[in-house]
């Protein structure tokens, strides 16, 4: 389109209305006279108010009334209706009294007097008067740094975007070619390029692509590494918002002045250059032009929406006028003309939007630059919400669906955000049905398998909105509900509401079987608030929770059982970490309110459903049969009960503090009452739960875990009967002696350890623990007296119990105590020997060699653990005796135990569980006695030599066995994780170990690949950690001709076996080097630049400080360079050069080149 001649005035807008304008009743400022306003040309007083022809047309961009057509002026001539008259009278200014003349008084020269009352200023109440808004600061403070022209005006201080846009529109009226030239140069400058176009390039529109190609080649020759839109340099943080804000303001101003419709050359010329730049192969051009084009599109959408809204209002006015008895035809005609003009303008705006969509969006939404794709997705979401009648359809929504598979994380997150805005309104369901059917599978996949946790959480919330619309399939609901067991806390938190709604739907479905809420109320009758032992409606919802959890966990249980069958008894157990059931239960308590009522849940678990086994037609029996729990559901609800009790106690503690953070006496008393009632009720139901659910190992461990929550201090303060607590301990001991499952033994041991932590109850607890010791040792003697293959299972369980007891109780006296026989004839070595000797005999027993079975291996592993605990308690007693000065106990001799461990390691395969346990115990044993090296002994201590003799170095023969075990684990982990190890040198210490046959099992099963890899990494890191401790303790790799070789061998593949392994070996490097920091320059004067050393806690002398060889500090230390006296001004100037050099160096290393794609 040809540009208009700047010398010809534009008569498309009638400017006479600006002179004969009606006075507005809303005027609050004194008007400026025409002859005093420099922005308005002088108007002749001799004519009828017409503007001189010699003056160019001036557009008022701030008043939208000037853009109305001449037909609208006919409203003044037509008779106004009654409503319009009322509106005019309401807006009409009220007459004001003329101010009375007052005599001027001379100013008072004495002390100032006031008649105002002294009022204390309100500091906390009244708000300060708002300051007048200042012009928005530009990114760069100095205008000369921005050059000249439009770029300087937009990005310099002292100019608002509205003023800059109005000034450019005025220049367009004077000379549109020069104004457009300035605009295109502004766009090019925003890309970081300093090239410019001239007026001849603007006039020749067909040559625009060629001219931009030449500019692009010149800019590309400079090899730019950054451009303003993505730069993080200081001073241009608001560049993006200023750039987009200017074009939004410009389009809005053109719309308000009518130029957008009367002079289409403005928008068309901008489109020619900007759209061409958006297809450039140079990323700065493409990204900047795309942002500008999309910003123009956003503003045009807003303009189109405003036009449609005004047209609707005008249509209502027209309909109201036509319904009157006396219709004002002139007014109706004017309103129709106004509606037609609005339709014409809206059609023109939509045509521009369609051209922008086809020329820019369709090509750039799949750009190679993720930032550009993100801009397109954000803009499309804005267009859909602003103009739903145009863009809210399947043709445009499909672009959002396609971008759901984008490889860029921010882009996928933005798509989910924009879709969330659409699905939030339930009225949009019909329009979104087709889109949901097409992309529902991808959205569910993102919630389950996306690599970014934040996107998964946001997608789950989006799926919750889709479910509320009824557009989610039942299978998809189950897939999302299964995320209640997810390992990520944010995902579980997001799925809490989704899971709660699923429970509500299941509960409502179940209620239909009982006739709804009213039918269930008739069956239950009136519920008693404190009676938790009778059925109630909340039991039905708890049953729904258990059923949902069981169904969601069924598939995972099949996978776990298959893995356990394939790998035997070995499992990946994380100590101190909640189980997946506990994490799911915590999420359920946050989302479902009935799950937090732990008294109701405890009553439900204690209810006897045995009567429901008999068939009956009674409604109560039918309800009880519906609420009956199976074994798996009981396990799940026990976890929920555990979490609910902890939540009740934690809420009580938090309730002691009010909203202001103060603790009051009333709140403390209330919190204390809650804790006391919880402790009493919990102590009452624990024996009942153990009696009912103690036979099953899974449920028993859950009940024992609940006992650890009981606050025994409150229990003792309430002066409860000690027999109640003793009976509870008896129940715990019974579980310890009757169960063989390791989880039950561990929970029972932890419960006993928890009980021993309270001094007032220590005597009762100690007596119960001693009873356990006596029963267990007696069983061990009986089993060792009659050894055969039939009692290996019982022997394994007994030794496992001894290991658990030794971990919580001092076992030195118990294991050293020799047995007594009733008669000398019946006395045998097994009945008279000490328990420690019996355990050592098991470790050296040849019948428990490789191939004897898993129970034999477990017996050996438990025996080594028990003996190691024995030496740990021995070392502890020695340290206490030395520090307190009491009599020293007998010094232990661990040579026989170390020799037995070495034999056990030598006879087993490199990666077998028994060998790994033996190597770990061997390293722990020597490291344990190495702690005496740091023990502070009194001067001339008579046992000093005996104590030092306990510190021994690991024999060389054992070192080779340890290193071969490590090498085998290293190879297994590298194979399962598909990593490459560094080639071993010829003088490698370890020989090629024999691999275990179990290492290649399940190699071809992808479902178990991750579990197998984690187990292999766990093994490797455990053994490597033990070796690192031994090296640091100077009991390994510290003596002999090959000193330091093991440390070197550990660090060979440090960077090849993952971050966990790397962190384990980080302790071998010692403390980190000291950091050095220069002192800041002081203003006003010269100074000598000297380094400031940040010292660690361990101070070192100047001679011991290690400096970088050849560095500046090293040369200064050797007096090869002199300290330079730096002037502050010189230093600040030099700092900028150094920063620029650093930036250049950083740019050379940048792999992400912005030169093109």
């Amino acid at each position: 389109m040809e540009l208009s001649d700047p010398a010809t005035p534009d008569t498309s807008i009638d400017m006479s209305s600006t002179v004969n304008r009606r006075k507005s009743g809303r005027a609050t400022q004194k008007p400026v006279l025409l002859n005093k306003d420099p922005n308005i040309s002088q108007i002749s007083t001799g004519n009828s108010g017409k503007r001189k022809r010699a003056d160019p047309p001036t557009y008022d961009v701030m008043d939208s009334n000037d853009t109305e057509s001449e037909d609208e002026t006919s409203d003044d001539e037509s008779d106004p209706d009654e409503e319009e008259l009322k509106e005019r009278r309401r807006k009409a200014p009220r007459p004001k009294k003329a101010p009375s003349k007052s005599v001027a008084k001379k100013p008072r020269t004495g002390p100032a007097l006031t008649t105002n009352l002294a009022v204390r200023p309100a500091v906390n109440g009244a708000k300060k008067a708002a300051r007048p808004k200042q012009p928005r600061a530009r990114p760069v403070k100095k205008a000369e740094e921005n050059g000249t022209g439009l770029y300087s005006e937009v990005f310099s201080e002292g100019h608002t975007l509205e003023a800059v846009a109005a000034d450019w529109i005025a220049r367009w009226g004077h000379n549109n070619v020069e104004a457009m030239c300035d605009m295109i140069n502004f766009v090019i400058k925003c890309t970081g390029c300093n090239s410019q176009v001239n007026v001849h390039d603007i006039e020749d529109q067909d040559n625009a692509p060629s001219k931009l190609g030449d500019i692009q080649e010149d800019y590309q020759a400079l090899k730019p590494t950054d451009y303003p839109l993505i730069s993080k340099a200081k001073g241009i943080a608001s560049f993006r918002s200023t750039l987009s804000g200017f074009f939004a303001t410009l389009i809005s101003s053109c719309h308000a002045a009518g130029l957008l419709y009367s002079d289409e050359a403005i928008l068309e010329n901008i489109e020619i250059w900007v759209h061409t730049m958006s297809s450039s192969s140079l990323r700065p051009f493409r990204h900047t032009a795309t942002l500008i084009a999309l910003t123009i599109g956003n503003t045009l959408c807003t303009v189109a929406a405003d036009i449609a809204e005004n047209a609707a209002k005008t249509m209502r006015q027209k309909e109201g006028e036509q319904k009157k008895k006396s219709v004002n035809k002139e007014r109706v005609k004017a309103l129709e003309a106004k509606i037609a003009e609005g339709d014409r303008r809206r059609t023109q705006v939509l045509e521009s939007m369609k051209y922008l969509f086809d020329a820019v969006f369709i090509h750039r939404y799949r750009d190679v630059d993720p930032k550009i794709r993100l801009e397109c997705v954000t803009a499309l979401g804005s267009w859909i919400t602003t103009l739903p009648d145009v863009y809210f359809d399947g043709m445009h929504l499909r672009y959002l669906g396609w971008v759901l598979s984008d490889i860029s994380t921010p882009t996928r997150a933005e798509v989910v955000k924009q879709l969330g805005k659409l699905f939030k309104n339930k009225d949009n369901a019909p329009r979104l049905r087709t889109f949901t059917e097409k992309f529902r599978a991808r959205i569910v996949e993102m919630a389950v398998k996306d690599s970014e946790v934040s996107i998964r959480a946001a997608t789950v919330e989006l799926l919750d909105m889709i479910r509320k619309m009824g557009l989610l399939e039942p299978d998809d609901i189950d897939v999302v509900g299964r995320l209640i067991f997810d390992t990520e806390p944010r995902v579980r938190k997001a799925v809490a509401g989704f899971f709660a709604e699923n429970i509500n739907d299941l509960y409502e479905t179940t209620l239909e079987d009982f006739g709804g809420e009213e039918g269930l109320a008739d069956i239950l009758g009136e519920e008693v608030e404190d009676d938790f032992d009778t059925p109630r409606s909340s039991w039905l919802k708890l049953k729904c929770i258990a059923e949902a959890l069981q169904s969601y966990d069924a598939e995972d249980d099949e996978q776990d059982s298959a893995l356990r069958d394939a790998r035997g008894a070995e499992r990946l157990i994380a100590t101190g970490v909640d189980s997946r059931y506990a994490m799911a239960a915590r999420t359920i308590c946050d989302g479902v309110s009935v799950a937090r009522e732990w008294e109701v849940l405890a009553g439900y678990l204690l209810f006897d459903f045995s009567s429901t086994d008999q068939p009956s037609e009674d409604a109560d029996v039918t309800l009880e049969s519906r609420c009956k729990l199976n074994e798996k559901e009981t396990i799940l609800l026990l976890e929920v009960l555990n979490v609910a009790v902890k939540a009740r106690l934690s809420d009580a503690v938090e309730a002691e503090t009010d909203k202001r953070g103060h603790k009051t006496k009333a709140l403390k008393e209330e919190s204390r009452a809650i804790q006391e009632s919880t402790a009493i009720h919990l102590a009452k139901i624990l024996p009942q739960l153990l009696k009912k659910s103690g036979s099953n190992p899974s449920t028993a461990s859950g009940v024992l875990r609940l006992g650890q929550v009981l606050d025994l201090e409150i229990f003792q303060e309430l002066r409860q009967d000690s027999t109640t607590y003793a009976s509870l301990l008896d129940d715990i001991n019974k579980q310890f002696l009757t169960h063989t499952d390791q989880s039950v033994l561990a929970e029972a041991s932890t419960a006993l350890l928890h009980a021993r932590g309270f001094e007032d109850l220590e005597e009762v607890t100690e007596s119960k623990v001693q009873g356990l010791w006596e029963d267990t040792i007696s069983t061990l003697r009986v089993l060792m007296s009659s050894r055969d293959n039939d009692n290996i299972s019982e022997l394994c369980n007994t030794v496992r119990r001894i290991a658990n007891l030794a971990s919580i109780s001092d076992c030195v006296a118990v294991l050293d105590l020799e047995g007594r026989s009733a008669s000398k004839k019946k006395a045998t070595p097994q009945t008279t020997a000490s328990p420690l000797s019996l355990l050592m005999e098991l470790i050296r027993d040849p019948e428990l060699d490789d191939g004897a079975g898993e129970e034999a291996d477990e017996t050996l592993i438990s025996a080594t653990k028990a003996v190691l605990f024995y030496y740990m308690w021995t070392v502890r007693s020695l340290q206490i005796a030395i520090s307190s000065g009491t009599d020293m106990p007998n010094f232990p001799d661990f040579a026989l135990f170390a020799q037995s461990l070495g034999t056990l390691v030598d006879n087993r395969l490199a990666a077998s569980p028994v060998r790994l346990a033996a190597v770990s115990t061997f390293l722990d044993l020597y490291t344990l006695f190495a702690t005496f090296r740091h023990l502070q002994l009194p001067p001339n201590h008579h046992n000093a030599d005996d104590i030092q003799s306990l510190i021994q170095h690991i024999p060389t023969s054992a070192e080779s066995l340890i290193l071969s075990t490590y090498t085998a684990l290293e190879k297994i982990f590298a194979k399962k994780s598909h990593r490459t190890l560094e080639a071993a040198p010829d003088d490698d210490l370890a020989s090629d170990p024999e691999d275990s046959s179990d290492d290649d099992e399940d190699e071809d099963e992808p479902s178990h690949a991750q579990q197998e890899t984690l187990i292999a990494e766990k093994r490797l890191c455990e053994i490597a950690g033990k070796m690192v401790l031994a090296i640091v303790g100077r009991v390994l790799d510290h003596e002999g001709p090959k000193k330091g070789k093991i440390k070197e061998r550990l660090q060979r593949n440090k960077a090849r076996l993952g971050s966990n392994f790397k962190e384990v070996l980080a302790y071998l490097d010692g403390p980190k080097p000291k950091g050095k920091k220069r002192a800041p320059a002081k203003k006003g004067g010269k100074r000598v630049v000297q380094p400031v050393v940040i010292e660690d806690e361990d101070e070192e002398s100047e001679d011991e400080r290690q400096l970088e060889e050849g560095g500046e500090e090293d040369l200064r230390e050797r007096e090869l360079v002199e300290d330079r006296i730096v002037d502050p001004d010189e230093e600040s100037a030099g700092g900028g050069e150094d920063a620029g050099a650093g930036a250049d160096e950083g740019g050379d290393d940048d792999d992400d080149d912005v030169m093109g794609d």
Side-chain angles (χ1 to χ4, degrees), residues 882-898:
I882 293 173
S883 60
S884 60
T886 59
D887 295 338
M888 299 288 292
N890 296 329
F891 287 90
D893 183 10
F894 60 92
L896 180 59
F897 183 46

Side-chain angles (χ1 to χ4, degrees), residues 608-619:
D608 186 11
F609 291 99
S610 59
S611 60
T612 59
D613 297 336
Q614 301 176 358
S616 175
E617 297 180 357
D618 190 3

Side-chain angles (χ1 to χ4, degrees), residues 286-300:
R286 194 171 67 253
H287 189 184
T288 307
T290 302
L291 175 63
I292 294 174
L294 296 177
T295 302
I296 294 175
N298 294 338
T299 310
L300 290 178

Side-chain angles (χ1 to χ4, degrees), residues 748-932:
S749 302
T750 307
L752 292 173
L753 184 63
H754 173 70
R756 296 188 62 188
F758 299 92
E759 296 181 358
D760 296 338
L761 303 174
E762 185 177 2
E763 183 178 353
V764 179
T765 307
E766 190 65 28
S767 63
K768 300 299 179 181
V769 174
Q770 289 299 325
L772 287 177
W773 271 118
E774 294 175 2
D775 294 340
T776 307
I777 296 301
S778 176
T779 305
L780 177 64
R781 294 184 186 278
V782 173
L783 294 175
M784 292 295 293
S785 299
S786 57
R787 285 291 307 278
D788 52 29
N789 296 330
D790 296 336
N791 65 354
I792 186 62
S793 178
E794 297 180 6
L795 184 62
C796 175
N797 297 330
T798 302
V799 176
R800 187 185 292 128
R801 292 190 186 98
I802 292 176
N804 281 274
L805 281 175
S807 65
I808 64 171
S809 175
D810 190 349
C811 59
V812 176
V814 177
L815 295 183
D816 284 339
L817 182 63
E818 296 182 354
R820 296 180 180 178
S821 179
S823 61
K824 296 182 178 180
K825 295 181 180 181
K826 296 182 180 180
T828 60
Q830 288 77 13
T831 58
T832 58
S834 64
L836 180 62
S837 301
L838 297 178
L839 294 175
M840 293 296 298
E841 181 181 347
L842 282 176
I843 297 175
R844 300 192 306 269
D845 191 353
E847 296 182 0
L848 301 179
D849 58 354
D850 193 10
E854 295 181 0
E855 291 182 342
D857 293 346
E858 183 65 24
T859 302
L860 289 174
I861 294 174
S862 299
T864 56
K865 288 181 180 179
V867 178
L868 179 62
F869 280 124
Y870 168 83
Y871 286 108
M872 286 182 177
W873 287 107
T874 303
V875 170
R876 180 175 179 271
S877 62
L878 285 174
Q879 292 175 348
I880 294 175
I882 293 173
S883 60
S884 60
T886 59
D887 295 338
M888 299 288 292
N890 296 329
F891 287 90
D893 183 10
F894 60 92
L896 180 59
F897 183 46
Q899 181 183 358
S900 301
L901 290 175
T903 304
L904 201 61
V905 172
D906 195 15
N907 295 336
R908 296 292 179 132
L909 294 178
S912 66
V914 176
R915 177 163 179 168
L916 296 181
V919 169
S920 178
T921 305
F922 192 87
L923 291 169
D924 286 338
L925 182 65
Y926 280 86
T927 306
L928 173 66
F929 287 99
T931 57
F932 285 110

Side-chain angles (χ1 to χ4, degrees), residues 22-28 88 90-94:
R22 290 176 297 174
K23 183 178 180 181
S24 173
R26 294 175 293 178
T28 58
R88 289 182 181 181
R90 186 177 65 84
K91 294 183 178 181
R94 297 180 180 179

Side-chain angles (χ1 to χ4, degrees), residues 8 177 184 186 337 365 455 662 742 761 794 823 843 852 864 903 910 934 944 994 1048 1130:
T8 304
V177 177
I184 303 306
F186 164 74
Y365 88 95
I455 294 181
H662 303 299
Q742 177 60 30
L761 303 174
E794 297 180 6
S823 61
I843 297 175
T864 56
T903 304
H934 305 285
E994 298 180 2
E1048 181 181 352
E1130 179 185 355

Side-chain angles (χ1 to χ4, degrees), residues 1136-1155:
E1137 296 176 359
D1138 294 340
D1144 294 339
E1145 293 177 3
D1148 295 338
D1149 297 335
D1150 191 3
D1151 297 332
D1152 188 12
D1153 190 6
V1154 300
M1155 292 305 301

Side-chain angles (χ1 to χ4, degrees), residues 327-489:
V327 180
N328 190 337
K329 296 182 179 180
E330 294 294 331
R331 177 176 173 79
V332 172
K333 183 178 179 181
L335 293 174
E336 291 178 348
K338 187 176 180 180
I339 293 173
E341 177 64 17
D343 292 341
R344 184 187 68 82
R345 293 185 174 188
R346 189 170 187 273
T347 303
Q348 183 176 341
V349 170
L350 293 181
E351 289 178 355
S352 299
M353 281 297 304
K354 186 178 184 304
Y355 176 62
L356 184 149
F357 189 88
D358 296 338
V360 179
F361 179 85
I362 289 181
H363 301 285
R364 300 278 70 79
Y365 88 95
R366 52 186 179 180
D367 195 277
V368 295
D369 187 358
K371 296 183 178 64
I372 298 178
R373 301 198 299 270
L374 179 61
E375 303 280 1
C376 294
V377 171
T378 307
L380 181 58
S382 176
W383 299 347
I384 294 175
T385 54
T386 306
L387 282 181
D389 55 335
V390 178
Y391 292 100
F392 202 166
D393 54 18
M395 187 183 70
H396 295 91
L397 287 173
R398 59 180 180 173
Y399 293 102
L400 295 178
W402 291 336
V403 183
L404 285 172
S405 302
D406 197 283
I407 61 175
S408 173
T409 298
T411 306
R412 295 197 309 275
E414 184 64 27
V415 175
V416 175
K417 178 182 177 181
Q418 297 299 332
L419 289 177
K421 296 179 181 178
L422 302 179
F423 281 98
K424 190 175 183 179
N425 187 0
K426 292 184 179 180
D427 297 335
N428 296 334
R431 294 183 176 183
L432 293 169
R433 185 176 300 277
T434 304
F435 170 83
T436 307
E437 292 176 355
K438 186 175 182 180
F439 296 100
R440 181 180 60 245
R442 172 55 187 161
I443 297 176
V444 173
E445 183 183 10
M446 290 178 63
V448 178
K449 300 180 180 180
D450 198 278
S451 59
E452 185 65 26
V453 178
S454 59
I455 294 181
R456 294 182 60 196
T459 309
V460 169
E461 296 177 356
L462 174 63
L463 287 170
D464 193 17
M465 301 177 191
I466 299 175
R467 185 196 56 78
K468 292 178 181 179
M469 286 186 174
L471 302 178
L472 206 59
E473 295 296 329
D475 294 340
D476 298 330
I477 294 176
D478 293 339
V479 171
V480 179
R482 195 171 289 113
L483 294 178
I484 196 73
F485 293 108
D486 197 84
T487 57
E488 294 294 339

